[in-house]
Amino acid sequence: MNYKNPIIRGFHPDPSVCRANGKYYLVCSSMQYFPGVPIFESDDLINWKKIGNCLTRPSQIHLEKVRSSGGVFAPTIRYNNGRFYMTTTNDSTHQNFYVWTDDIYGEWSEPVFVDQGGIDPSLLFDDDGKVYFMSNGADDEGNYGITVCEIDIDTGKKLSKSKTVWKGSGGRYLEGPHLYKINGRYLLLAAEGGTEYGHMVTYAVSDSVFGEYKGYDKNPVLTNRNLGGYEIQGIGHGDLIEDYNGNWWIVCLGFRQIGQWSAFHHLGRETFLTPVDFNGVWFTAGTNGTTAKEYATDRISDSVVQDFKTVYTFENTNHDVEWCYLRIPQKDNYEFKKDRLVLKGTSVTLDDCDSPTFIGIRQNEFNSEISCDVSADCGEAGITMYMDENAHYDLALRKNGDGEYEVIKRIKIGEINYIQNSVRVYSNSITLKIYCSNFIYSFAALDNNIKHELGTAETRLLSSEVAGGFTGVFAGLYACSQHGGNEAVFSNFIMENKE
Ligand code: 6LW
């Protein structure tokens, strides 16, 4: 069969994968968004369905006023003896912890903290029953690198010293460690080069868990850093998986740049699947060590068809699963009816590093059309293409000082914050439309079937290269009001992706 990368599109970075009960499960980072750590399920490694989130209760994760791209960093998912474990870092509190569940469709436990620093924790359940915890932190002697300790999985308590076992192949930002026991040897996978254009996957092997580790002599085993002008960049931070037929793969992150010679990406880091070949102890990955946009593979049956969801509506999405809030939401400000959503605005705006009344869904393709009916009597309510509080484009209905309704288009890029266009409308119930393409967003509004064009804005200015950070653009529905108390009704939401 042929499959296309990325396999999970839009902001889904730092993937980690495990298998259990005949299926595959995958998690990603979620940063300042809530609920935290989305979980996907698959039968074939190609088609992934979002089934929930690991961190669904404020008691599990501190996110209040955390900086954008802080919060929940790279997670790892593992399955052992009937139980799923997800370990991650809250980068804003500098704590590593794990949560567990015996029911992948249910709630996860309260956090169990582990007293080892660094980011990107992972777990190895060894075949002798011991459990190892690793991260990219310092060890008990103050050495930096990939650091491992043994833990008691019931309490999170360390049963050994933390020991730095590998310093990587020489790239900057050694992170994302995952340790495996394969054919009696320990294999340590890591990311180096930083999560941008120099990103890569490297590894080392050892006969014993605490080392000594010998690096693969052709590291990096996987990187797109030399593929100038190729759409897919930033390949790195992977997790190995052996499928149910004995084939090996890496899920890893990467991103799609907006144009061949336009090194900007605004959809965030996404999840890719790369075939792996083991040759005894060592493995190679991808197409000469790179990840391609499309693979023809006989490892997956021809009867598997890759099926991307292209239409998102209120009716066909589960708001608890597919939609996200910023930080910890005030739940009373969100009321879901069957076919509409009522939002109550507060004085917190999209420019604040806080929790405005906002609910968003990831923009997961370059070409997309977004439309929603909005009605509101006061305040401001609309759709935002939101990267973070310093980079967003808003299209909204609002009542101006003279008591008239208008549709505004706001540009917020760093210190630039202005209403770049506005048009008078005669109804307090209008349709907002945003057309997304690689390079521009176009904005329009329909007032009693009269279409007003509000011009365009560049996607580039919402990209990670301009705005910074580790997230990707969301299409968000929002409401705000200087004096609080406005109620806005959203209906007929549709985001439709085009090829
Ligand atoms: C993550 C780190 C990284 O923790 O980005 O790509 C950080 N690598 O490993 C945030 O996603």
Side-chain angles (χ1 to χ4, degrees), residues 14 29 31 73-74 119-120 175 195 199 237 253 269 470:
D14 307 317
S29 317
M31 311 304 170
F73 267 31
I119 58 167
D120 301 352
E175 55 197 15
T195 192
H199 211 194
H237 195 121
L253 75 77
R269 297 167 302 154
F470 293 138

Side-chain angles (χ1 to χ4, degrees), residues 23-63:
K23 295 194 185 285
Y24 303 96
Y25 294 94
L26 187 148
V27 291
C28 302
S29 317
S30 51
M31 311 304 170
Q32 72 270 34
Y33 289 93
F34 184 85
V37 187
I39 315 163
F40 295 83
E41 184 181 70
S42 174
D43 291 322
D44 49 32
L45 289 173
I46 304 291
N47 292 299
W48 292 92
K49 182 174 181 233
K50 192 170 171 192
I51 57 165
N53 295 276
C54 300
L55 305 174
T56 53
R57 306 184 300 277
S59 61
Q60 293 168 303
I61 183 74
H62 170 85
L63 286 179

